[in-house]
Amino acid sequence: MIRFTLEEMLKKREMSMYALSKSSGIRPNTISQWVTNEGVDVKSVTIETLDRVCSVLDCQPGDLIKYIPQNGEEFTNQN
């Protein structure tokens, strides 16, 4: 399962969903879906949308998306 971590990033940046919408040009409904993790409703994420969010929040795509395996354990990269 893919989980968005946008809410945490907005808190770190002390930014509201409204401010992100205005700064990025992304519809508030789209941002709201990412924040509430309505994964069923989010069918796809365009590179353009991801790029705009990363640009405004000064972050990497991996800061916004987390993969959680079906068994519920979070993936951690242990190199």
Side-chain angles (χ1 to χ4, degrees):
M1 167 178 21
I2 299 296
R3 182 179 172 288
F4 294 100
T5 56
L6 180 57
E7 183 174 24
E8 292 89 346
M9 185 58 67
L10 286 171
K11 286 179 184 176
K12 283 182 186 178
R13 300 295 193 258
E14 298 180 353
M15 181 179 279
S16 68
M17 289 188 292
Y18 178 78
L20 177 59
S21 176
K22 284 295 190 186
S23 297
S24 66
I26 298 168
R27 293 182 3 209
N29 185 43
T30 300
I31 293 170
S32 177
Q33 287 177 341
W34 283 27
V35 168
T36 58
N37 278 292
E38 295 175 4
V40 174
D41 294 332
V42 180
K43 301 285 188 232
S44 65
V45 177
T46 67
I47 297 298
E48 180 184 1
T49 300
L50 195 54
D51 180 62
R52 286 197 234 168
V53 172
C54 288
S55 177
V56 170
L57 295 178
D58 189 30
C59 66
Q60 295 295 314
D63 297 329
L64 301 172
I65 301 171
K66 182 185 291 186
Y67 172 70
I68 301 173
Q70 293 293 37
N71 63 9
E73 296 177 20
E74 292 187 18
F75 174 78
T76 56
N77 187 2
Q78 299 178 9
N79 291 330

